[in-house]
């Protein structure tokens, strides 16, 4: 059982890990997919780098600094977080990690594909969370848009209730999975009061009762939905101690909104790390 599991190895996650490790607690950092930081060709406005530094170098240095302290860092995609009594189970494809607290530091990501009809039918056949909404699609015909492990995980979740599941990659590579996959580019999602049809660029159509969006990696919003964490728009709502409304779950960095800069992510990571330390020590 870990004291603290941190999802994300950007400035927020690594800063949190450093504070937790230096408080002598056992901490695990999981990361997967490109961070915001790695996309920055040069960071010129962060304290201490007279000639600037590339985002990629700063990212790698952060991980190395944490590892030098003895922090366990694994490159694994987190697919979900489940509450287990007062602790949590952090799910990856092949391994689950039990932990007393979780710090979500997954940065921000674009959730919505640019497909006509998605916004119009949100809550009327368009969903972003299989665990939350699968029940509404008992014995129905549903599709999942995405092509990564997260999409396959959502499809698996739906397979317990829906009668038919198709993964729509919207032109991207087919994922390895047991589900039916359609790689055509999607033109629009259509319906009257609810979603009834997906129309593809080649003119073909698919009758459908619901469409689940599961692009890229699972993100903060996906975890928030399943755990009942309060959000403000796409951001996770936190207090000044980086606590969410769910005891034992903290959030920091870009996912909490505000100033989307390295300095703020580092500060919030430190604060989240210290809050998690206090929580574990008080138990
Ligand atoms: C092009 C560009 C230029 C920028 N320039 C500057 C600049 O000059 N100065 C500045 O201060 N800021 C700059 N920024 C902003 C800065 O990069 C971010 O504010 C900062 O990186 C946010 O840190 P974070 O730790 O919150 O998120 P990120 O750096 O995005 O890190 C998120 C981490 O979460 C991981 N993750 C996400 N989902 C999962 C999952 N399901 N499972 C496991 N891991 C997951 C990712 O792998 C990553 O390790 C720039 C950003 C961009 C895109």
């Amino acid at each position: 059982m870990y004291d603290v599991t941190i999802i994300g190895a950007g400035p927020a996650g690594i800063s949190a890990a450093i504070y937790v490790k230096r408080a002598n607690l056992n901490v695990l950092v999981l990361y997967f997919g490109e961070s915001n930081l790695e996309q920055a060709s040069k960071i010129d406005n962060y304290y201490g780098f007279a000639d600037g530094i590339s985002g990629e170098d700063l990212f790698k240095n952060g991980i190395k600094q944490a590892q030098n302290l003895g922090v366990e860092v694994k490159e694994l995609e987190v697919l979900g977080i489940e509450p287990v009594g007062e602790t949590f189970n952090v799910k990856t494809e092949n391994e689950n990690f039990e932990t007393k607290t979780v710090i979500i530091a997954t940065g921000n990501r674009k959730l919505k594909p640019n497909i006509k009809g998605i916004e119009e039918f949100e809550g009327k056949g368009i969903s972003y969370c299989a665990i939350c909404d699968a029940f509404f699609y008992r014995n129905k015909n549903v599709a999942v848009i995405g092509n990564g492990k997260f999409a396959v995980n959502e499809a698996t979740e739906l397979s317990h209730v829906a009668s038919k599941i198709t993964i729509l990659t919207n032109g991207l590579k087919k994922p390895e999975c047991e589900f039916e996959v359609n790689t055509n580019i999607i033109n629009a999602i259509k319906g009257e009061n609810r979603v009834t049809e997906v129309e593809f660029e080649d003119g073909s159509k698919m009758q459908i009762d619901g469409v689940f969006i599961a692009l890229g990696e699972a993100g903060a919003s996906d975890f928030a939905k399943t755990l009942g964490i309060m959000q403000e728009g796409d951001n996770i709502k936190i207090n000044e101690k980086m606590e969410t409304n769910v005891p034992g779950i903290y959030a920091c960095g870009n996912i909490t909104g505000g100033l989307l800069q390295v300095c703020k992510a580092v500060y919030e990571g430190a604060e989240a790390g210290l809050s998690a330390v206090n929580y574990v020590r008080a138990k």
Side-chain angles (χ1 to χ4, degrees):
M1 166 89 69
Y2 287 94
D3 292 316
V4 184
T5 298
I6 299 170
I7 311 172
I14 290 296
S15 171
I18 289 169
Y19 278 79
V20 174
K21 187 69 194 175
R22 287 171 63 95
N24 208 23
L25 266 57
N26 65 338
V27 51
L28 170 68
V29 176
L30 301 171
Y31 76 100
F32 189 86
E34 197 180 39
S35 60
N36 280 279
L37 186 57
E38 288 164 284
Q39 292 164 41
S41 53
K42 196 169 180 200
I43 306 271
D44 258 334
N45 56 359
Y46 186 56
Y47 174 80
F49 293 93
D51 301 317
I53 181 165
S54 76
E56 201 183 334
D57 284 347
L58 192 56
F59 179 79
K60 285 186 187 151
N61 287 351
I63 292 182
K64 194 158 175 268
Q65 184 183 1
Q67 284 173 328
N68 287 347
L69 275 173
V71 174
E72 210 178 323
V73 183
K74 292 180 188 248
E75 189 170 359
L76 288 176
E77 180 178 354
V78 174
L79 302 172
I81 309 168
E82 287 168 357
V84 186
E86 286 192 353
T87 63
F88 302 94
N89 195 16
V90 176
K91 278 175 62 185
T92 68
E93 192 182 16
N94 297 317
E95 225 177 326
N96 292 349
F97 301 93
E98 282 180 52
T99 182
K100 294 177 190 167
T101 61
V102 179
I103 297 178
I104 305 174
T106 49
N108 49 350
R109 75 187 186 106
K110 196 169 175 285
L111 263 174
K112 291 178 197 174
N114 192 14
I115 297 170
K116 212 170 141 207
I118 293 232
E119 287 198 2
E120 183 186 344
F121 291 111
E122 273 171 8
K124 298 175 204 152
I126 297 282
S127 170
Y128 294 87
C129 175
I131 283 190
C132 319
D133 295 339
F135 187 71
F136 302 119
Y137 295 93
R138 289 185 310 279
N139 305 318
K140 301 238 164 147
N141 180 9
V142 296
V144 176
I145 299 181
N147 82 325
K149 287 179 193 154
F150 177 46
V152 175
N153 186 64
E154 292 291 87
T156 307
E157 201 61 55
L158 287 162
S159 67
H160 303 301
V161 286
S163 59
K164 183 164 188 251
I165 293 139
T166 312
I167 293 184
L168 307 177
T169 71
N170 195 21
L172 295 175
K173 200 171 106 218
K174 202 173 167 173
E176 262 182 46
C177 66
E178 62 193 25
F179 297 102
E180 192 176 320
V181 178
N182 182 325
T183 55
N184 283 339
I185 294 176
I186 302 168
N187 193 30
I189 294 174
K190 296 184 158 179
E192 296 236 333
N193 298 323
R194 289 188 60 84
V195 167
T196 54
E197 183 179 281
V198 179
E199 184 186 271
F200 297 96
E201 218 172 70
D202 65 1
S204 62
K205 291 175 180 170
M206 178 189 271
Q207 299 308 305
I208 208 88
D209 300 307
V211 177
F212 285 74
I213 315 291
L215 295 176
E217 296 84 41
S221 289
D222 307 303
F223 304 142
K225 283 185 185 104
T226 48
L227 286 169
I229 298 172
M230 279 164 70
Q231 289 183 272
E232 274 170 341
D234 284 339
N235 299 325
I236 292 205
K237 203 171 167 184
I238 39 128
N239 63 15
E240 72 285 356
K241 291 179 177 168
M242 309 301 133
E243 293 166 333
T244 67
N245 59 307
V246 177
I249 305 266
Y250 306 83
C252 51
N254 272 21
I255 47 144
T256 67
L259 184 69
L260 304 183
Q261 292 280 283
V262 173
C263 56
K264 183 253 192 190
V266 168
Y267 162 69
E268 287 194 353
E271 197 70 69
L274 291 173
S275 294
V277 167
N278 287 336
Y279 178 91
V280 171
R281 283 183 180 160
K283 282 273 159 193

